[in-house]
Amino acid sequence: MRRLSAFNVVSLTLGFAFLYVPMLILVIYSFNESKLVTVWAGFSTKWYGELAGNQQFLDAAWVTLRVAFFSSTIATVLGTMAAYALIRSGRFWGRTAFSGMIYAPLVMPEVITGLSLLLLFIAIGLDRGILTLVLAHTTFCMCYVSVVVSSRLITFDQSLEEAARDLGCTAAESFRLVTLPIIAPAVVSGWLLAFTLSLDDLVIASFTSGPSSTTLPIKIFSSVRLGVSPEINALSTIMIGIVAIGVIIASLMTKRSMARRLADEAAADRAELT
Amino acid sequence: MRKSLVYLIPFLWLLALFFVPFLIVFKISLSDIALARPPYMPQLDLSEGLAGIRAFLSELDFENFVFLTTDSLYWKAYLSSLRIALIATFLTLLVGYPIAYGMARAPHHWRPTLLMLVILPFWTSFLIRVYAWMGILGQEGYLNQVLLWTGLISEPLSILNTNTAVYIGVVYTYLPFMILPIYAALERLDISLIEAAEDLGCSRTSAFWLVTFPLSRPGVTAGCFLVFIPTIGEFVIPSLLGGSKTLMIGKVLWEEFFSNRDWPVASAVAVVLLLILIVPIIFFQKNQQRQAEADA
């Protein structure tokens, strides 16, 4: 590639400034002393203190975390199974309908998914609460997991599984001993994606949650509708911080495993030479 | 036996929690609003056997769909959603293309970092990213403060609660969906093609329009669909950044359901929205398929 032109440098700088400055402002103003969010009145961490004492927010955060944990875990199991069925099973009855149902929720407007699930829960007489939230979130999250896992399964050398079967493994053993370790990174990132999607969801949760199961996004949305508030700024900063830390840890881990793999390969090369 | 379980369990799950709910939405869109729990009628009464089913079916009609065409609010909302999505998609392309282009021309060892910086916002809460703009665009917001301070304007601009704010919100939140496919297309581009064009006397600008841009078209198309399709049904952005004049169908559906409690009309709105979305989704699928075949 040729050198970056001035135009490239300017568009990259402006582009990344556009992506990051709004969040940076949010973080800075969460440490603002003043109740007026747009006027800087000195450094203070008092909004974090107020947040820690706000029982409603803490309750909502606990509901959200539990829902995200259960739905992303079930979604990972179901999504991995779905991906395996789509990529490995070849043709089977209802395959087109199946793959359609995997991809459709990804492009479905959330208002429609939320409305349809709510009408289902009412039709079968299921009271809205944590359970309905988990069912709803599992359904759209499993589709994302299945897309992530199937992209890994496509590039996976199937002869490894066949070799395990030839050496006497049952189908379940070859999956557990050969396939799973290889697709594990994709399964983990699928789980993480499902977890963040569930944490983040406002629209589907608004339709499917009951009065006793208000989630954090619902709480944030109803208070944000009235305008900008320093408490929400503090809460946003905590959430942005968690994501940033998570991403840094993940990138360090991939870097280390890359380094280890490179070292292993170098050692294998040396072993072959001698 | 076990093999069939692997697909039966997710298949049945999606059938029960994705497909069946749509049938229910469709059924309720044919019903009438009622002062009851649940607030629609008729209810299917299986205890009367076949006669019950017949009575139930005879009560269903397309009245709500006729209502959608007679009340101008609905078709205006559909048209306005399409227009807002179209303009916002174009603006996202305008902002996203130069970024993707710069990334594709950056030195190799920078690219993973740049890529991560584009994906990172996607992991942070959508709601928070939209909320961040409320503080910036408001009457006393940071943008107005800066502009007033520099003397560029003498009166604060009103941007929050207008369509402009909605455009900014869409561009901001959907930018990664535009950048990534364009970057993927540009990164694979063979640089010698551009050099050849320049050797044959093209200026840098005309080489871009004659070679680079046409070759990045599949990425541009994919990016545009990835922004356009979800924007049509968007709810959070118009309700936080848009004003009372911002008409979008996602917001109409929400209010029809939560404020008016008219479930049959809300369901009819959903059915029509789905029909509108099918067209771009099929085009998108075709584009992706063509891409996959070209790669193979």
Side-chain angles (χ1 to χ4, degrees), chain A residues 18-20 38 118 200 229 233, chain B residues 117 125-126 131 145 172 257:
Chain A
F18 176 66
L19 277 176
Y20 284 93
T38 48
L118 168 63
D200 196 23
S229 93
N233 284 355
Chain B
L117 284 173
S125 166
F126 186 86
Y131 164 72
Q145 285 181 21
Y172 184 66
F257 188 86

Side-chain angles (χ1 to χ4, degrees), chain B:
Chain B
M1 186 59 220
R2 197 177 265 154
K3 198 163 190 176
S4 59
L5 269 184
V6 168
Y7 90 90
L8 261 181
I9 295 171
F11 185 77
L12 291 177
W13 181 289
L14 285 172
L15 209 61
L17 284 148
F18 184 73
F19 186 68
V20 171
F22 276 113
L23 295 183
I24 298 176
V25 169
F26 186 63
K27 190 217 97 182
I28 292 177
S29 74
L30 303 177
S31 312
D32 294 319
I33 186 168
L35 280 172
R37 279 181 83 96
Y40 54 84
M41 56 169 276
Q43 304 286 332
L44 182 55
D45 186 5
L46 282 175
S47 61
E48 302 212 358
L50 262 182
I53 296 175
R54 211 170 298 135
F56 168 75
L57 286 176
S58 67
E59 292 270 336
L60 296 176
D61 52 47
F62 286 91
E63 213 172 293
N64 294 310
F65 293 93
V66 176
F67 174 67
L68 290 192
T69 59
T70 51
D71 192 326
S72 65
L73 167 77
Y74 299 101
W75 60 261
K76 275 187 183 153
Y78 284 116
L79 282 183
S80 154
S81 302
L82 286 172
R83 210 189 60 227
I84 289 175
L86 210 62
I87 297 173
T89 306
F90 180 68
L91 293 173
T92 316
L93 176 64
L94 232 49
V95 175
Y97 199 102
I99 302 175
Y101 187 57
M103 284 170 63
R105 301 190 50 153
H108 270 285
H109 59 276
W110 287 15
R111 288 187 201 168
T113 313
L114 292 176
L115 210 53
M116 200 188 82
L117 284 173
V118 170
I119 299 169
L120 192 58
F122 181 75
W123 288 86
T124 35
S125 166
F126 186 86
L127 191 57
I128 287 174
R129 280 183 288 148
V130 176
Y131 164 72
W133 283 94
M134 291 178 71
I136 297 173
L137 299 175
Q139 198 68 225
E140 280 121 41
Y142 311 120
L143 182 67
N144 272 326
Q145 285 181 21
V146 171
L147 290 177
L148 285 170
W149 178 73
T150 53
L152 279 172
I153 52 168
S154 51
E155 290 278 299
L157 303 170
S158 21
I159 307 175
L160 191 64
N161 303 329
T162 65
N163 281 1
T164 315
V166 174
Y167 297 140
I168 295 175
V170 174
V171 173
Y172 184 66
T173 46
Y174 288 100
L175 196 56
F177 291 112
M178 184 64 86
I179 294 179
L180 294 174
I182 298 178
Y183 168 76
L186 283 173
E187 214 219 352
R188 289 187 306 189
L189 194 105
D190 187 354
I191 192 76
S192 57
L193 291 174
I194 300 161
E195 283 165 357
E198 285 185 11
D199 288 346
L200 294 170
C202 266
S203 71
R204 283 188 82 149
T205 333
S206 56
F208 174 81
W209 287 111
L210 290 172
V211 181
T212 313
F213 189 75
L215 285 172
S216 66
R217 274 272 296 285
V220 171
T221 317
C224 286
F225 278 122
L226 285 175
V227 176
F228 181 71
I229 295 170
T231 304
I232 297 176
E234 185 52 56
F235 167 75
V236 176
I237 298 175
S239 59
L240 288 184
L241 300 178
S244 50
K245 282 193 200 139
T246 309
L247 255 186
M248 286 194 80
I249 199 66
K251 219 174 111 187
V252 170
L253 195 161
W254 177 285
E255 271 152 20
E256 207 59 68
F257 188 86
F258 285 107
S259 312
N260 299 349
R261 302 198 57 77
D262 191 338
W263 296 13
V265 167
S267 303
V269 168
V271 170
V272 175
L273 175 56
L274 207 60
L275 290 177
I276 291 176
L277 282 174
I278 282 175
V279 179
I281 288 173
I282 288 174
F283 271 113
F284 176 65
Q285 289 279 15
K286 282 243 168 77
N287 180 62
Q288 294 302 94
Q289 248 163 30
R290 214 176 311 136
Q291 229 3 66
E293 276 160 23
D295 286 346

Side-chain angles (χ1 to χ4, degrees), chain A residues 93-204:
Chain A
W93 183 83
R95 189 183 195 283
T96 319
F98 187 52
S99 74
M101 284 198 295
I102 293 283
Y103 288 103
L106 307 179
V107 288
M108 196 58 65
E110 288 167 319
V111 278
I112 296 186
T113 314
L115 176 73
S116 66
L117 280 166
L118 168 63
L119 294 179
L120 170 81
F121 294 143
I122 285 172
I124 59 175
L126 197 58
D127 276 339
R128 280 180 278 165
I130 304 263
L131 175 66
T132 51
L133 271 173
V134 170
L135 287 175
H137 280 185
T138 304
T139 307
F140 80 89
C141 286
M142 69 179 274
C143 301
Y144 283 90
V145 173
S146 136
V147 169
V148 172
V149 173
S150 56
S151 69
R152 182 77 191 91
L153 272 173
I154 287 175
T155 58
F156 169 98
D157 186 359
Q158 208 170 338
S159 57
L160 290 173
E161 272 170 23
E162 285 159 9
R165 296 297 298 275
D166 287 346
L167 295 170
C169 274
T170 64
E173 279 172 335
S174 91
F175 180 79
R176 190 166 50 86
L177 296 171
V178 178
T179 318
L180 200 56
I182 294 178
I183 63 168
V187 174
V188 171
S189 49
W191 186 87
L192 281 172
L193 184 62
F195 190 79
T196 40
L197 285 170
S198 168
L199 277 188
D200 196 23
D201 168 62
L202 164 74
V203 176
I204 295 172

Side-chain angles (χ1 to χ4, degrees), chain A residues 180-253:
Chain A
L180 200 56
I182 294 178
I183 63 168
V187 174
V188 171
S189 49
W191 186 87
L192 281 172
L193 184 62
F195 190 79
T196 40
L197 285 170
S198 168
L199 277 188
D200 196 23
D201 168 62
L202 164 74
V203 176
I204 295 172
S206 299
F207 279 99
T208 53
S209 73
S212 63
S213 58
T214 307
T215 67
L216 203 51
I218 297 177
K219 201 83 203 111
I220 295 176
F221 183 70
S222 59
S223 74
V224 152
R225 263 195 153 165
L226 308 171
V228 185
S229 93
E231 264 187 314
I232 299 291
N233 284 355
L235 183 61
S236 309
T237 303
I238 295 173
M239 288 165 77
I240 292 172
I242 292 171
V243 170
I245 291 169
V247 168
I248 290 170
I249 291 174
S251 71
L252 285 179
M253 267 163 57

Side-chain angles (χ1 to χ4, degrees), chain A residues 7-66:
Chain A
F7 175 75
N8 294 145
V9 175
V10 169
S11 54
L12 281 178
T13 318
L14 288 181
F16 284 105
F18 176 66
L19 277 176
Y20 284 93
V21 166
M23 285 194 263
L24 203 63
I25 295 176
L26 207 62
V27 172
I28 293 171
Y29 274 82
S30 74
F31 295 104
N32 188 4
E33 170 80 41
S34 165
K35 174 107 193 127
L36 291 167
V37 244
T38 48
V39 184
W40 182 259
F43 182 86
S44 149
T45 52
K46 75 173 181 197
W47 302 113
Y48 290 87
E50 301 245 324
L51 197 63
N54 189 331
Q55 196 55 41
Q56 283 189 326
F57 272 116
L58 294 179
D59 287 344
W62 179 230
V63 170
T64 314
L65 282 173
R66 270 186 301 166

